[in-house]
Amino acid sequence: MTTYNIGYFVGSLSTRSINRTLSKALIKLAPETLKFTEIPIRDLPLYNYDFDASFPPEGTALKQAIEAADGLLFISPEYNRSIPGALKNAIDWGSRPWGTNSFARKPSAIIGASVGAIGTAVMQSSMRSVLSFLDAPQLNSPEAYIAFNADFYDADGNVSDESTAKFLRHYMSEFAAFVERVLDANAAGHIGDRDPAG
Ligand code: FNR
């Protein structure tokens, strides 16, 4: 059985984060081929390019964690119809110094929970733009906009509502298949790598 290492980001720093609860549920419901490691964002300084000359250990650790992962999962709230600052800051760190973008060709997926009805749809749209610019292939379907119902989850991420559990299980199984497809494609190279005569 081939296993894949998934680095995951939780976009909320709150101790009461519903997105952290969602991350626990997703890990529990994922296929056993996926192994999860959180990529922490809390202690990163605010990025600016003065750091490029000498990256702090937090920035280097973040880039190494992204590069070591086979795939990336972003589980995030929507703040003011966009990406929470802490998560955007982490992405900026991972994208730099120029020429060392750690996200390139990394299979990625975005999911988020909100107390609002549209379930982080606008944040996810912003994230798609950012990750596209960073050349990270993204799971397009299924989309997962979670209007969070606290009654469906316990603190450990057990999901009592069967239709929610089924949807999240399906999402993670599609993500696993997507990671495998992108890694296969990466291993096969891309058009620019091919010998035109071949
Ligand atoms: C929010 N919230 C929110 N919800 C939403 O659906 N769309 C939005 O644009 C916003 N904007 C927003 C801004 C800020 C600064 C805060 C603190 C909150 C509400 C948000 O969905 C709710 O607080 C969630 O509980 C946040 O997720 P975590 O932090 O609990 O994982």
Side-chain angles (χ1 to χ4, degrees):
M1 183 179 76
T2 308
T3 59
Y4 299 100
N5 296 316
I6 304 302
Y8 70 98
F9 293 85
V10 177
S12 172
L13 303 182
S14 168
T15 53
R16 291 174 287 126
S17 169
I18 59 176
N19 283 280
R20 181 158 297 284
T21 303
L22 177 62
S23 72
K24 291 177 185 168
L26 292 167
I27 291 168
K28 281 183 192 286
L29 294 167
E32 59 181 15
T33 52
L34 300 186
K35 309 292 171 200
F36 292 87
T37 307
E38 181 167 4
I39 302 182
I41 63 173
R42 179 182 297 275
D43 296 328
L44 289 163
L46 288 176
Y47 174 79
N48 75 72
Y49 60 77
D50 293 350
F51 287 115
D52 289 359
S54 172
F55 250 41
E58 296 87 351
T60 302
L62 179 97
K63 285 181 77 67
Q64 286 172 346
I66 295 168
E67 287 161 23
D70 294 313
L72 300 173
L73 180 62
F74 295 87
I75 307 135
S76 178
E78 175 177 289
Y79 276 5
N80 300 317
R81 295 284 183 258
S82 191
I83 305 166
L87 179 57
K88 180 59 167 55
N89 181 51
I91 294 171
D92 292 342
W93 275 105
S95 72
R96 291 280 152 161
W98 191 87
T100 71
N101 164 26
S102 302
F103 294 99
R105 298 196 194 176
K106 202 62 81 173
S108 301
I110 311 152
I111 185 170
S114 167
V115 295
I118 62 168
T120 75
V122 188
M123 175 282 294
Q124 293 192 34
S125 174
S126 301
M127 278 289 287
R128 284 186 178 281
S129 223
V130 171
L131 292 175
S132 298
F133 178 69
L134 294 174
D135 194 26
Q138 297 146 61
L139 177 66
N140 288 324
S141 178
E143 298 173 300
Y145 307 123
I146 310 296
F148 193 78
N149 183 334
D151 294 339
F152 291 176
Y153 304 79
D154 72 15
D156 295 327
N158 295 300
V159 181
S160 56
D161 180 68
E162 192 37 50
S163 81
T164 302
K166 187 174 168 197
F167 174 77
L168 297 177
R169 199 178 291 116
H170 173 63
Y171 182 85
M172 293 308 277
S173 133
E174 289 294 318
F175 176 51
F178 174 73
V179 169
E180 189 171 356
R181 280 199 305 278
V182 174
L183 294 180
D184 283 352
N186 287 349
H190 69 117
I191 286 169
D193 288 340
R194 281 197 204 123
D195 176 355

